[in-house]
Amino acid sequence: MSGEHASINKAPRRVRSLKSRRDTLAAYMLLSPSALIIGVFGIFPLFFTVYVSLFRWRLARGRFTGVGNFISLFGANPLALVAVCAAVGGAVLAVFLFRHRSSQQRARGVFGGILLALSLAGFAAALPALAAQGDKDVFDALRVTVWYCVCTVPVQLVAGLLLALLLSRPLRGRQAFRVISLMPYIAPTVATAAIFELLFSLRPDSFANQVLRLVGISPLQWLQEPKGVFALIFGGAAQTGATGVIPAYWAAWAQGPSLALIAIVFYSWWVFVGYYALIYINGLAAIPRQLYEAAQMDGAGKLRSLFSITLPLLSPTTYFLTLLGVIGTFKAFTQLYVLRNPAVGSAVDPISVSIFFTAFRKGNMGYAAAVSLLLFVIVLGLTVAQQRTTGSRVSYGD
Amino acid sequence: MAIEDPMRARPRPTAGGVTVAVLLTLAAFLFILPFLYMLSTSLKTVGETIIRVNPFPFHPEFWPSVPQWVNYATAWTTANFSLFFRNSIITAALTVAGLMFTSALAAYAFAKIRFAGSRLVFSIFIATLVIPESVYLIPNFILITRLGWYDTLAGLTVPFMASAFSIFLLRQFFAQLPNELLESARMDGAGHPRLLLSVVLPLSAPPLFTVAFLAFVGSWNSLQWPLVATQTMRWRPITVGLATFVTEAGPQNQLRMAGAMISVLPVVLAYFFAQKQFTEAIARSGIKG
């Protein structure tokens, strides 16, 4: 770039502007094919979704309903939605205060702590109210999505890191192992999900049930079991005594993810652990060896090196994978679509599948567009929040 | 194994080393087991898929008594997987070709030309990466219906013929090429298209391969959009064929697994032949959500 710049500056002013104008024209010509496609199918749709969401839109555009679809989504009283947003905003502000306080500013820390506690309490109270007056299906789908995210991402991070650490030492057959560990990730999701549909079927002779029998557990319904796992393990205990809007809502959470969803979680582990390991291996390779040698000279053991060198220096990788994983689970569709069994109703339908069915089975596009905007806002919020909170703590090596 | 050079003899296996080997073997077994299950089920008779079952590949009951290769022929012809396969190949090839064309042009413009608005346009492109596919689904469905592209090849391919991500990957690489190379060709009077074709592209085989591979796998594996954008068998890809596989005779899992094998093979075979490039390509990006 600098070379080009120098030669341009030597040219007379008129020639220079002519050249740069011609360059600009050429650049936009080269950009036009991508800009056309990205504009029509990538940017315009976002605004068009907002437009669609304001109508009663079945096969064709119907009556203009304004915020009607959003009222069916969040309920008629906007107070609950405002309260939930305020609680989320408060929590974000509290975390921000924590992160940007210096040692002199103890008041900030105290204030941040109080704000965080208030926000969490407000959230715990306002969300049930919102769910009670809003669309039950959507809020159930959100719960499924959150469970799916919570059950998959942390396990994949830890297992991926462990695999990467095992693979970081010289070993015969390392390349073969890498190839094998990535196969689940590369193979088409529809095909591999179809295999898991057989592995975790409710038949007493299915793979999963035969394995259970080996350890003396009676067969389970797996993909056809809509009951929550905590409810299954502890009996109906989690459900009792749940009266009133707020306890009833959180009691539904307390039942845990459905067993059907857990089977899909196993699938996700199987697919993504190899990929996470690959990314971690790249992260490990970037850590300078001298650091370990220096630590060894100072008498640090292997475990100490792991916690003082490896993990802190891997934090950019962990951050990247967390972001990718959380956003990925909110967007995930194929495996959940293939592995959902009609017998479990909507117990494993995350928000993406719910949108799909609302739009293309029930034909209610206007409403589905409104729900998809909610998903968009959540994914955008997660991206921004994660960048703001984790971003400054991440170590970039130097 | 040949006779070992005593100077380079391996150190005696330590307890730690053995543990690592055992753990990795176990992990490899878990990764590969579902594929073996798919293979064995695809070769069984209908009856065997129900009664001849065992969770462990070491056990003879895991495998069919006599491999039914005919299942593949049945899946290919009667269950229409030949048509789905062909549709997927054509869709993926067209998508990749279109994407490579648009991305190379745009990446060159961003990497090698200084122009007004360059940063702004680039940021707008990149911002589209945050938007979940579910948000595109409804507006793009309405759009292709209006364009008359519903249930056509155009509807399946054109929306994916440009991607901010591919442009980003190629731009990173193009930007590293020294400007002196371009400047000397420019002195000889070559224009930008010429520079791209005769200087930049010949030096960029690895990143072009990466982008092509990621685009191919993305297109081959996609389900949500084809589910929405196709109605008849005409252009239905293999993923939709597999996901909506039902036979009049009820659950024919051996045929479904044969179909799954057919859909897995091209990707996995290609992967075996070019492991290194593929691993690098995957490391650079997530191809799955």
Side-chain angles (χ1 to χ4, degrees), chain A residues 117-191:
Chain A
L118 280 178
S119 303
L120 290 179
F123 186 75
L127 188 63
L130 185 64
Q133 66 172 23
D135 183 344
K136 185 179 175 300
D137 286 351
V138 171
F139 283 90
D140 284 350
L142 271 176
R143 188 169 61 225
V144 171
T145 313
V146 170
W147 273 128
Y148 184 60
C149 180
V150 169
C151 295
T152 53
V153 178
V155 174
Q156 285 160 199
L157 282 171
V158 173
L161 178 61
L162 281 178
L163 257 190
L165 289 172
L166 291 181
L167 281 170
S168 65
R169 42 201 289 166
L171 202 79
R172 211 165 11 159
R174 191 162 62 162
Q175 179 60 19
F177 182 83
R178 281 191 192 182
V179 172
I180 289 171
S181 69
L182 269 181
M183 267 171 51
Y185 183 77
I186 296 193
T189 308
V190 180

Side-chain angles (χ1 to χ4, degrees), chain A residues 90-118:
Chain A
V92 170
L93 184 66
V95 173
F96 182 81
L97 284 178
F98 268 124
R99 297 214 46 72
H100 293 269
R101 71 177 201 282
S102 57
S103 49
Q104 288 90 4
Q105 295 167 311
R106 282 188 51 203
R108 259 196 181 191
V110 174
F111 180 66
I114 294 171
L115 185 62
L116 187 63
L118 280 178

Side-chain angles (χ1 to χ4, degrees), chain B residues 173-196:
Chain B
F173 186 85
F174 289 174
Q176 290 168 10
L177 296 174
N179 281 318
E180 290 73 36
L181 274 177
L182 299 183
E183 279 304 305
S184 60
R186 241 192 140 171
M187 293 294 162
D188 300 338
H192 287 297
R194 188 65 191 276
L195 290 176
L196 175 62

Side-chain angles (χ1 to χ4, degrees), chain B residues 8-287:
Chain B
R8 297 186 56 195
R10 293 173 162 277
R12 261 167 51 85
T14 59
V18 171
T19 318
V20 170
V22 168
L23 282 177
L24 286 180
T25 313
L26 188 70
F29 175 71
L30 288 178
F31 283 130
I32 218 152
L33 183 66
F35 288 107
L36 294 179
Y37 194 85
M38 167 171 63
L39 176 67
S40 75
T41 308
S42 76
L43 294 173
K44 285 178 176 173
T45 63
V46 196
E48 281 178 335
T49 62
I50 297 162
I51 50 160
R52 190 183 166 92
V53 280
N54 190 284
F56 298 112
F58 329 110
H59 198 282
E61 293 257 293
F62 183 89
W63 301 98
S65 49
V66 180
Q68 306 289 318
W69 295 103
V70 68
N71 290 342
Y72 284 83
T74 313
W76 188 252
T77 53
T78 323
N80 273 319
F81 276 102
S82 56
L83 175 68
F84 301 146
F85 190 86
R86 201 203 57 160
N87 289 345
S88 275
I89 292 271
I90 296 175
T91 306
L94 259 178
T95 308
V96 171
L99 182 84
M100 300 298 285
F101 175 73
T102 61
S103 304
L105 295 185
Y108 173 85
F110 284 128
K112 289 297 173 201
I113 306 178
R114 297 188 141 211
F115 61 96
S118 157
R119 279 198 177 177
L120 178 70
V121 179
F122 190 67
S123 325
I124 294 175
F125 276 20
I126 291 298
T128 62
L129 291 175
V130 191
I131 307 172
E133 200 188 344
S134 302
V135 179
Y136 289 130
L137 217 55
I138 296 155
N140 279 349
F141 172 76
I142 297 171
L143 206 59
I144 63 157
T145 314
R146 292 272 164 89
L147 288 168
W149 287 1
Y150 181 55
D151 208 24
T152 68
L153 189 56
L156 284 174
T157 54
V158 175
F160 304 97
M161 283 191 182
S163 128
F165 184 70
S166 308
I167 296 172
F168 175 75
L169 272 186
L170 286 181
R171 190 201 77 132
Q172 299 296 87
F173 186 85
F174 289 174
Q176 290 168 10
L177 296 174
N179 281 318
E180 290 73 36
L181 274 177
L182 299 183
E183 279 304 305
S184 60
R186 241 192 140 171
M187 293 294 162
D188 300 338
H192 287 297
R194 188 65 191 276
L195 290 176
L196 175 62
L197 265 180
S198 56
V199 182
V200 175
L201 289 187
L203 293 170
S204 311
L208 289 172
F209 177 85
T210 301
V211 170
F213 164 64
L214 294 176
F216 178 82
V217 175
S219 170
W220 186 268
N221 291 355
S222 69
L223 173 74
Q224 197 173 9
W225 179 249
L227 216 48
V228 166
T230 62
Q231 186 182 31
T232 62
M233 305 275 264
R234 184 69 196 86
W235 289 108
R236 178 172 292 177
I238 198 158
T239 46
V240 179
L242 259 181
T244 56
F245 181 79
V246 221
T247 54
E248 288 165 17
Q252 299 254 31
N253 285 328
Q254 79 288 5
L255 294 186
R256 190 145 180 243
M257 287 299 106
M261 279 295 278
I262 293 171
S263 76
V264 166
L265 273 180
V267 183
V268 169
L269 276 185
Y271 177 53
F272 275 126
F273 282 115
Q275 293 160 24
K276 235 193 141 133
Q277 292 92 317
F278 275 44
T279 315
E280 267 164 32
I282 295 158
R284 276 191 216 180
S285 74
I287 48 173

Side-chain angles (χ1 to χ4, degrees), chain A residues 160-389:
Chain A
L161 178 61
L162 281 178
L163 257 190
L165 289 172
L166 291 181
L167 281 170
S168 65
R169 42 201 289 166
L171 202 79
R172 211 165 11 159
R174 191 162 62 162
Q175 179 60 19
F177 182 83
R178 281 191 192 182
V179 172
I180 289 171
S181 69
L182 269 181
M183 267 171 51
Y185 183 77
I186 296 193
T189 308
V190 180
T192 49
I195 306 172
F196 271 68
E197 200 185 332
L198 294 186
L199 294 179
F200 287 92
S201 94
L202 80 176
R203 276 214 295 261
D205 280 330
S206 73
F207 174 86
N209 280 333
Q210 281 190 317
V211 171
L212 283 188
R213 195 185 302 145
L214 287 179
V215 287
I217 300 176
S218 48
L220 296 173
Q221 303 280 305
W222 291 112
L223 286 163
Q224 300 201 25
E225 177 60 84
K227 278 205 196 107
V229 282
F230 300 151
L232 279 175
I233 296 170
F234 306 115
Q239 257 175 311
T240 54
T243 49
V245 171
I246 298 174
Y249 177 79
W250 292 110
W253 276 92
Q255 296 188 15
S258 65
L259 184 64
L261 186 67
I262 291 298
I264 304 176
V265 165
F266 289 155
Y267 171 78
S268 175
W269 293 352
W270 179 72
V271 169
F272 287 102
V273 165
Y275 173 73
Y276 278 49
L278 172 76
I279 304 295
Y280 267 127
I281 288 169
N282 284 3
L284 283 172
I287 299 176
R289 289 196 69 88
Q290 296 93 303
L291 285 178
Y292 292 106
E293 284 155 16
Q296 213 173 5
M297 297 240 261
D298 291 345
K302 273 191 181 164
L303 213 59
R304 186 65 207 274
S305 297
L306 176 70
F307 282 101
S308 306
I309 301 173
T310 314
L311 292 186
L313 288 182
L314 276 180
S315 56
T317 312
T318 307
Y319 164 69
F320 166 75
L321 285 174
T322 310
L323 185 72
L324 196 80
V326 171
I327 295 173
T329 48
F330 271 80
K331 295 197 222 174
F333 174 82
T334 306
Q335 62 270 44
L336 292 139
Y337 177 83
V338 174
L339 288 173
R340 86 188 281 280
N341 190 299
V344 297
S346 57
V348 296
D349 287 353
I351 193 89
S352 59
V353 176
S354 170
I355 292 168
F356 179 84
F357 280 125
T358 307
F360 298 100
R361 285 271 168 90
K362 299 179 191 155
N364 201 347
M365 300 221 171
Y367 184 59
V371 181
S372 76
L373 284 173
L374 172 67
L375 174 68
F376 174 59
V377 168
I378 293 174
V379 169
L380 196 68
L382 283 173
T383 313
V384 173
Q386 213 161 8
Q387 250 156 7
R388 285 289 135 85
T389 52

